Amino acid sequence: METNKRLGKTQLFWFYVQSQIGIGILSLPYTLYKEAQTDGWISLFMSAILVQIAIFVLWLLHKRFPNDHLFSICEKTLGIFAGKVLTLVYIVYFVYTAALVLQGFTQLIVIWILTRTPEPIFMILMIAACLPLILSTLDQKARMFVLAAPLILLIPIVMIGGFFYHGDLLNLLPLGLAQPSELMKGTLAASFAINGYIVMSLIFPYVKATAAEKIKVVSLAHWFVFFIYLVVVLACYMTFSAGEMKLLPEPFLYLIKSFSFPIVERIDLIFLCLWSVIVITTYAIFIYCGVIGTMSFFRSSRYHLFVILALLVTFLINLPRDSIFQVRQMITGTDQFGSIMAFIVPLFILITAAVFKRRSTV
């Protein structure tokens, strides 16, 4: 595997942030409230702790195989056949997640902005906009993610405005209402918004930093993402009553829509246009991971060909028109599978490598 160290620590930080924050943040408050009511933020905190443990597991794997990404680690630890099978499952997971990101944002744009535009047309436009980023080199992708960082920083600023102008602390009550089973459901429901950390298993080998510096940077990025999610969830909970939260699938957008200025109206539409850049980067990251897995599976270096095939697959998957509720059901259906692929499987690989004393010889 190529071991050229091309990414700096700042690029690693924003690479992680971009892989985590995408379309999931728009419906996260609704998803958490549906499962854990006003204790949804507790489920989010529990998810953050579990993700930190998962990041540590991926880091331990990286320490044993410092010059290998996840797919080559699978083969070196489990053997060629089992490693290939697991690589194929990861390819399906990454490409299907990318397809869900594309379909979810497409339907959101069609509902909120382009109500008369056919969904396939918008998907083609999204893919075309994403193509230059996907076809670029890894360090060029990382530089793009750093440039897009100010858009992410807009979220806490906007949400803090929501705290001061629309928030009511009483809407956070009662605390401790959810049962432990409901908290766990909320934790699982948040997984679509936070499962991007598995991408680090493909990025670690390319970062110019020591192992200790990498875990510090990624952990800092993780808790930065958690802070943004927490601010969004609390702002939505404080702004909308219990009855309203049950009826608003994208409370984040409705909160922004409530803002108005003397000159500018419909801030939500402006935000969605800007946020499309973040969604494109998230989509590109999952396509990239699927393509790297495909190259590893076939032992091929035809990156551009596999990129085109992956983009085509995500487009064809989304051609059958599904309602927004069906898309949410598909996302819910992938939550448990995504948690297994991002946490349980790497933990199993780490335990196997430790038991059989497998590690990189370099």
Side-chain angles (χ1 to χ4, degrees):
M1 175 191 159
E2 180 188 3
T3 57
N4 182 25
K5 309 293 184 180
R6 294 178 288 177
L7 305 185
K9 289 180 285 187
T10 301
Q11 292 173 325
L12 173 63
F13 180 94
W14 289 110
F15 210 113
Y16 179 91
V17 172
Q18 297 279 8
S19 66
Q20 288 282 64
I21 297 181
I23 188 175
I25 192 174
L26 303 179
S27 59
L28 180 63
Y30 169 80
T31 303
L32 290 174
Y33 194 90
K34 184 175 65 173
E35 300 294 346
Q37 292 82 48
T38 51
D39 293 330
W41 63 273
I42 300 177
S43 292
L44 181 63
F45 181 67
M46 293 168 59
S47 295
I49 294 175
L50 292 176
V51 169
Q52 182 63 62
I53 297 173
I55 291 172
F56 187 68
V57 169
L58 294 176
W59 177 71
L60 290 177
L61 263 180
H62 171 65
K63 285 192 69 176
R64 298 188 74 89
F65 303 91
N67 296 320
D68 295 288
H69 55 54
L70 178 63
F71 305 118
S72 58
I73 292 175
C74 290
E75 293 187 16
K76 290 184 177 181
T77 304
L78 305 177
I80 299 297
F81 178 76
K84 290 286 188 184
V85 172
L86 191 55
T87 296
L88 183 60
V89 176
Y90 269 113
I91 293 171
V92 173
Y93 168 67
F94 284 128
V95 174
Y96 186 67
T97 302
L100 285 180
V101 171
L102 178 63
Q103 186 177 38
F105 191 69
T106 296
Q107 290 190 337
L108 200 63
I109 291 295
V110 168
I111 291 173
W112 281 78
I113 303 179
L114 306 175
T115 56
R116 296 187 178 182
T117 303
E119 291 182 14
I121 299 299
F122 184 77
M123 284 192 289
I124 291 174
L125 294 175
M126 284 286 293
I127 292 173
C130 187
L131 194 59
L133 178 61
I134 299 179
L135 294 178
S136 63
T137 62
L138 183 61
D139 51 329
Q140 289 171 341
K141 290 183 180 67
R143 287 197 290 268
M144 174 60 190
F145 299 156
V146 174
L147 287 176
L151 295 178
I152 295 178
L153 296 177
L154 283 175
I155 300 176
I157 297 174
V158 172
M159 290 299 98
I160 288 173
F163 276 124
F164 285 109
Y165 293 103
H166 299 278
D168 184 355
L169 287 172
L170 294 179
N171 285 340
L172 296 177
L173 301 176
L175 296 177
L177 179 65
Q179 299 296 322
S181 60
E182 293 174 328
L183 289 176
M184 290 307 300
K185 288 181 181 179
T187 301
L188 184 62
S191 62
F192 182 75
I194 61 175
N195 271 346
Y197 60 86
I198 187 64
V199 173
M200 292 301 99
S201 60
L202 280 76
I203 304 303
F204 274 149
Y206 297 108
V207 179
K208 295 180 290 187
T210 64
E213 290 174 334
K214 292 175 185 177
I215 187 64
K216 290 178 182 178
V217 170
V218 173
S219 296
L220 180 62
H222 165 61
W223 290 105
F224 173 73
V225 171
F226 167 73
F227 168 74
I228 290 179
Y229 281 170
L230 182 64
V231 168
V232 169
V233 169
L234 291 180
C236 291
Y237 280 15
M238 291 170 57
T239 302
F240 302 109
S241 65
E244 292 172 327
M245 282 298 300
K246 295 176 181 179
L247 299 175
L248 301 178
E250 291 90 23
F252 180 77
L253 292 178
Y254 283 97
L255 175 56
I256 297 176
K257 185 179 179 180
S258 66
F259 296 160
S260 64
F261 300 96
I263 299 177
V264 182
E265 289 289 342
R266 293 303 302 270
I267 306 299
D268 54 313
L269 302 185
I270 299 174
F271 176 83
L272 276 176
C273 293
L274 295 174
W275 196 248
S276 62
V277 177
I278 304 301
V279 176
I280 285 174
T281 58
T282 304
Y283 175 68
I285 288 173
F286 282 101
I287 289 291
Y288 171 78
C289 293
V291 169
I292 295 300
T294 307
M295 292 171 61
S296 177
F297 184 84
F298 290 106
R299 298 189 183 278
S300 171
S301 59
R302 304 184 68 177
Y303 177 77
H304 287 188
L305 172 63
F306 290 132
V307 164
I308 300 300
L309 291 176
L311 294 175
L312 183 60
V313 168
T314 59
F315 177 74
L316 294 177
I317 289 176
N318 291 323
L319 273 185
R321 298 192 63 178
D322 297 317
S323 68
I324 190 70
F325 300 102
Q326 289 174 314
V327 174
R328 291 198 187 99
Q329 288 177 350
M330 287 188 289
I331 291 175
T332 301
T334 59
D335 286 341
Q336 186 173 359
F337 179 69
S339 299
I340 292 173
M341 298 305 296
F343 180 66
I344 303 299
V345 173
L347 180 61
F348 171 74
I349 295 173
L350 177 63
I351 293 174
T352 302
V355 170
F356 294 98
K357 299 180 180 180
R358 307 278 175 82
R359 62 172 62 245
S360 176
T361 56
V362 180

